[in-house]
Amino acid sequence: MKNTVATFQKMKENGEKISMLTCYDYSTAKLEEAAGINGILVGDSLGNVMLGLPDTLSVTMEDMITYGHAVARACHNTMVVIDMPFMSYQESVEQAVHNAGRLMKEGRANAVKLEGGASVCPQIKAITAAGIPVMGHIGLTPQSINAFGGNKVQGKNEERARELIEDAQKLEAAGAYAMVLECVPAKLAAIISKKVHIPTIGIGAGDGCDGQILVYQDMLGLFTDYTPKFVKRFATLGEQMTAAFKKYDEEVKAGTFPDEAHSFTIADDVLEKLY
Ligand code: KIV
């Protein structure tokens, strides 16, 4: 059964936790779907983990469409959310609706996600009015890394904590169907999750959120350039991959790969004519 905005809402109402992971390619999306993950985010974190960029700022609409469509092709049950990249929605409401439409038509998303609080509510209202579900994203919003001055936990003082609560309520009022809370103190995220009626999806925001999301390369141990405190390693696939690459390298150099089992044959009478 396809996970939809209605599924997410029902899960919150029933107190069932929502699982989300990022994904950027067809093969991995099939594995995430087979595992029963409720939602996949094609995050602009692809700038970091797929393209090796220092931040998400250079990610383009074309990147999001290419990676997003690859994921969407694999997902029959999993809800696919595609991130709106930096400066694809900030300029104007018209720009936001146009680009959200492209992510749906060309990327085959089921919903889009954009970062920000009160300032992006006009965009959320207009995109939602066009029939496109919008996931909000507050707390640490990586597209504003230069304004924040680094990857810092948000909402630690009273003023900023109140601002985050108000932003969450404004996102809900603007029509968002869910929101990511990133790098927010666990107890504040729990308060926000109780104050809004739509699901909150936490990353570094504790267990009081309605769901959780992680970058899949982080949780599998595939991306090790840096590891945020909130990342739990559920596997060490990076080590296993390096060991497999090493074994392949050794076998190629020793001439033991390919062997007969991995080679094609030709009939002897055909072969004789070639000498
Ligand atoms: O781009 C991304 O992967 C995200 C998650 C960290 C929520 O926005």
Side-chain angles (χ1 to χ4, degrees):
M1 267 262 291
K2 183 79 181 173
N3 283 267
T4 63
V5 293
T7 320
F8 273 42
Q9 187 59 40
K10 209 174 196 107
M11 287 178 82
K12 170 154 181 144
E13 284 161 16
N14 293 343
E16 289 171 56
K17 296 281 188 185
I18 300 164
S19 61
M20 289 192 71
L21 282 172
T22 67
C23 193
Y24 320 92
D25 71 283
Y26 176 81
S27 308
T28 310
K30 282 188 86 164
L31 299 175
E32 292 186 12
E33 168 147 304
I37 298 299
N38 296 117
I40 284 178
L41 170 69
V42 185
D44 60 357
S45 52
L46 70 83
N48 306 102
V49 294
M50 300 297 287
L51 304 177
L53 296 167
D55 52 48
T56 59
L57 302 185
S58 304
V59 175
T60 65
M61 278 293 297
E62 277 59 41
D63 292 331
M64 298 314 303
I65 288 167
T66 303
Y67 289 96
H69 200 177
V71 167
R73 279 194 283 268
C75 292
H76 305 288
N77 303 322
T78 318
M79 181 168 197
V80 178
V81 185
I82 303 185
D83 248 343
M84 299 197 70
F86 181 55
M87 293 318 291
S88 69
Y89 57 94
Q90 288 92 340
E91 272 176 43
S92 69
V93 165
E94 290 73 23
Q95 182 210 26
V97 174
H98 175 79
N99 283 324
R102 285 194 67 197
L103 295 180
M104 301 297 282
K105 285 167 77 110
E106 299 172 54
R108 302 295 307 170
N110 302 125
V112 300
K113 177 170 84 57
L114 52 80
E115 298 181 4
S119 64
V120 293
C121 282
Q123 281 88 333
I124 294 176
K125 260 189 204 145
I127 297 170
T128 308
I132 301 172
V134 181
M135 179 177 275
H137 183 161
I138 57 173
L140 175 65
T141 46
Q143 292 176 15
S144 305
I145 186 165
N146 289 300
F148 287 138
N151 291 322
K152 297 179 184 150
V153 177
Q154 301 295 308
K156 279 179 90 81
N157 63 45
E158 186 186 340
E159 188 192 351
R160 183 74 181 120
R162 285 193 188 284
E163 197 178 305
L164 282 178
I165 293 170
E166 280 167 23
D167 276 342
Q169 290 170 325
K170 284 177 184 161
L171 292 188
E172 178 177 14
Y177 79 96
M179 72 186 77
V180 167
L181 303 179
E182 179 166 354
C183 286
V184 173
K187 288 187 176 160
L188 173 59
I191 292 173
I192 293 173
S193 303
K194 286 210 177 77
K195 282 191 184 276
V196 296
H197 304 93
I198 56 174
T200 59
I201 310 293
I203 175 161
D207 64 354
C209 296
D210 302 304
Q212 298 293 328
I213 184 164
L214 284 175
V215 170
Y216 91 82
Q217 285 92 339
D218 286 340
M219 56 87 76
L220 293 182
L222 291 170
F223 182 81
T224 51
D225 289 4
Y226 48 86
T227 307
K229 177 181 175 187
F230 56 78
V231 170
K232 177 175 174 183
R233 288 263 160 83
F234 288 80
T236 51
L237 294 197
E239 286 167 25
Q240 288 183 44
M241 285 175 72
T242 306
F245 295 149
K246 208 165 162 217
K247 193 156 190 324
Y248 166 78
D249 177 71
E250 282 164 8
E251 289 194 18
V252 167
K253 285 171 181 162
T256 53
F257 176 83
D259 54 11
E260 240 182 80
H262 297 95
S263 303
F264 300 105
T265 56
I266 185 170
D268 285 345
D269 58 328
V270 176
L271 201 57
E272 271 163 26
K273 290 184 189 135
L274 301 178
Y275 286 112

